[in-house]
């Protein structure tokens, strides 16, 4: 019951994001009072909020309880994004996006931590795989709901998102039991211990390798996600509809194949799976360079390879970090891992366009292969057996229900 509730919460969160994201820039130009490139600052302040608040939100979740933090974050997101329905000025819009980003920074790592609380170690890849499936469903259906809302009012996308996130908060309240019933990890009770948790993260070499590898994968993925239409058009002519269809193909592939892939990876060596997933993403992105020779079918095949790589590496990484995190700090470690997405969002779009100007656009995609291999080596090394016991993570491996 509790896990199903978390799946509903994740679905509603993905639907809300899908409803808003395609129309944010249009709303900023026509309603929010932000013109030209200034409209992009909405995403910038949101990313700043998520990046700066991520570790704090994770540590706070471990301190006050995972369910309580999830309820707080979903409620804050509902109020923050939903209130934009009434906003017509740039300063309040920027302020609300920043506040919503702060709450959203705690949303994803806290859900990941709660999934870890509810499942035995061997069931974690399957559970995180299911979470990716419902998120992909939301990513496909959300823009359709957004388009229907825009037909009535451009600001309506925020009203719909607020309602969906309000439903997520209500689901947490009704379906997710208190932490003491789930069997929580040891909560932080001392401020000095909280500072000690951050110090341990900074000294944790395995976590640093995971963040390095994850950041490289996130950066190269945003070359497709953010810069793809510009860069791919210089390799093979591509319209906006055909470009958007590639993301639909990616999402549908996750919906159809994530669970079988998770079942296949669950009993295999974690390090090898992390390397394989990263390498496949690199191979798939490098395949975009061949679009000039094979046309759109090559792009579809490349997207499927990228999607397979992410199906392997995503749940495997989340499962490993849940097992590896010291007792009482799973949300903090999940939050540290989630910074890889913020790093990708901050560096990826600019670096992709810059590389495209320096050399041939095909070289951007080809360079994703060595970066993917480097990411695979880093994450595989992080998941490998330690050369000697680490006193700071000797107690790693949270207790999970059996």
């Amino acid at each position: 019951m509790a896990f199903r509730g978390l799946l509903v919460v994740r679905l509603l969160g993905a639907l809300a994001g899908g409803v808003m994201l395609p129309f944010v820039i249009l709303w900023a130009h026509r309603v929010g009072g932000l013109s030209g490139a200034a409209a992009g600052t909405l995403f910038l302040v949101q990313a700043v909020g998520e990046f700066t608040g991520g570790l704090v939100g994770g540590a706070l979740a471990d301190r006050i309880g995972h369910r309580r933090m999830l309820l707080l974050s979903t409620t804050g997101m509902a109020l923050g994004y939903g209130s934009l329905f009434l906003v017509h000025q740039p300063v309040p819009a920027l302020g609300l996006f920043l506040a919503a980003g702060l709450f959203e920074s705690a949303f994803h790592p806290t859900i990941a931590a709660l999934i870890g609380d509810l499942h035995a170690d061997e069931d974690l890849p399957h559970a995180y795989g299911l979470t990716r499936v419902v998120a992909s469903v939301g990513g496909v259906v959300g823009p359709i709901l957004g388009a229907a809302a825009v037909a009535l009012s451009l600001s309506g996308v925020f009203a719909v998102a607020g309602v969906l996130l309000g439903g997520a908060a209500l689901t947490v309240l009704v379906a997710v039991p208190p932490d003491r019933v789930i069997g929580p990890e040891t909560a932080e009770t001392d401020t000095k211990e909280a500072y000690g948790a951050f110090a341990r993260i900074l000294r944790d070499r395995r976590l640093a390798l995971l963040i390095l590898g994850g950041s490289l994968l996130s950066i190269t993925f945003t070359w497709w996600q953010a810069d793809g239409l510009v860069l791919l058009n210089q390799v093979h002519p591509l319209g906006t509809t055909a470009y958007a269809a590639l993301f639909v193909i990616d999402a549908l592939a996750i919906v159809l194949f994530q669970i079988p892939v998770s079942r296949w990876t669950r009993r295999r060596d974690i390090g090898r799976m992390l390397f394989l997933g990263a390498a496949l993403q690199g191979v798939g992105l490098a395949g975009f360079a061949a679009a000039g020779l094979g046309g759109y079918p090559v792009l579809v095949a490349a997207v499927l390879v990228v999607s397979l790589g992410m199906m392997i590496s995503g749940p495997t990484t989340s499962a490993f970090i849940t097992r590896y995190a010291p007792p009482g700090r799973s949300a903090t470690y999940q939050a540290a891992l989630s910074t890889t997405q913020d790093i990708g969002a901050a560096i990826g779009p600019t670096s992709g366009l810059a590389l495209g100007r320096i050399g041939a656009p095909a070289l951007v995609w080809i360079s994703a292969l060595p970066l993917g291999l480097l990411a695979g080596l880093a994450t595989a090394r992080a998941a490998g057996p330690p050369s000697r016991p680490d006193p700071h993570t000797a107690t790693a491996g949270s207790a999970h229900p059996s």
Side-chain angles (χ1 to χ4, degrees):
M1 175 65 177
F3 179 57
R4 291 177 182 174
L6 291 178
L7 291 178
V8 172
V9 172
R10 187 66 186 91
L11 173 61
L12 292 173
L15 285 171
V19 165
M20 293 185 293
L21 289 180
F23 307 101
V24 167
I25 297 297
L26 186 62
W27 172 86
H29 284 161
R30 296 185 181 179
V31 181
L34 291 163
S35 59
T41 56
L42 288 173
F43 290 109
L44 178 61
V45 299
Q46 183 190 41
V48 168
E50 292 184 12
F51 186 80
T52 57
L55 285 175
V56 174
L60 185 60
D62 286 331
R63 184 178 180 85
I64 69 173
H66 298 163
R67 175 188 181 271
R68 190 178 298 172
M69 191 63 202
L70 185 60
L71 181 60
L72 177 63
S73 62
T74 50
T75 302
M77 289 164 60
L79 294 175
Y81 290 126
S83 297
L84 288 165
F85 173 71
L86 305 173
V87 169
H88 301 87
Q89 298 295 326
V91 173
L94 291 170
L96 286 171
F97 262 87
L98 176 61
L102 286 169
F103 283 107
E104 191 167 356
S105 68
F107 177 76
H108 299 288
T110 305
I111 276 193
L114 270 167
I115 291 171
D117 294 340
L118 291 167
H119 290 86
D121 283 350
E122 63 270 18
D123 296 327
L124 286 172
H126 179 71
Y128 287 120
L130 276 174
T131 308
R132 281 177 55 83
V133 169
V134 299
S136 296
V137 171
V140 172
V141 178
I144 299 173
L145 295 178
V150 167
L152 300 175
S153 166
L154 193 53
S155 296
V157 295
F158 297 111
V160 173
V163 170
L164 290 169
L165 290 167
L170 183 61
T171 302
V172 175
L173 192 63
V174 172
V176 181
D179 291 274
R180 64 179 181 275
V181 176
I182 297 174
E185 296 167 310
T186 305
E188 295 283 2
T189 57
D190 188 284
T191 304
K192 292 182 179 179
E193 290 181 12
Y195 284 119
F198 285 112
R200 267 187 286 274
I201 285 176
L202 294 175
R203 295 195 299 264
D204 194 322
R205 294 180 181 178
R206 288 192 179 213
L207 183 60
L209 286 171
L210 284 175
I211 292 174
L212 171 63
S215 297
L216 290 174
L217 293 177
S218 181
I219 288 169
T220 56
F221 182 77
T222 57
W223 291 349
W224 168 41
Q225 188 179 48
D227 304 333
L229 187 57
V230 174
L231 296 174
L232 287 174
N233 261 316
Q234 299 177 51
V235 178
H236 173 73
L238 194 66
T240 55
T241 301
Y243 176 62
L246 295 177
F247 291 95
V248 176
I249 291 169
D250 172 55
L252 290 177
I254 293 173
V255 171
L256 293 174
F257 302 115
Q258 178 65 75
I259 299 307
V261 169
S262 295
R263 288 173 179 164
W264 179 75
T265 61
R266 64 188 298 179
R267 298 193 184 280
R268 284 171 170 78
D269 180 76
I270 292 177
R272 292 180 180 177
M273 292 299 99
L274 290 176
F275 179 81
L276 177 62
L280 284 173
Q281 179 174 320
V283 169
L285 291 173
F288 286 160
L293 300 175
Y296 198 74
V298 170
L299 293 178
V300 172
V303 165
L304 291 175
V305 174
V306 171
S307 183
L308 176 59
M310 296 177 68
M311 286 184 229
I312 294 172
S313 61
T316 304
T317 304
S318 296
F320 172 75
I321 205 69
T322 296
R323 296 166 181 150
Y324 176 68
R329 298 191 178 93
S330 61
T332 305
Y333 269 62
Q334 292 286 357
L337 186 64
S338 72
T339 60
T340 60
Q341 303 301 316
D342 302 316
I343 293 170
I347 299 175
T350 303
S351 63
L353 293 176
L355 288 172
R357 294 190 190 101
I358 294 172
L363 292 177
V364 178
W365 305 119
I366 293 173
S367 65
L369 178 55
L371 291 176
L373 294 174
L374 178 60
L377 290 173
T379 52
R381 177 68 181 272
S387 56
R388 63 178 184 274
D390 185 343
H392 301 296
T393 56
T395 59
S398 314
H400 304 297
S402 57

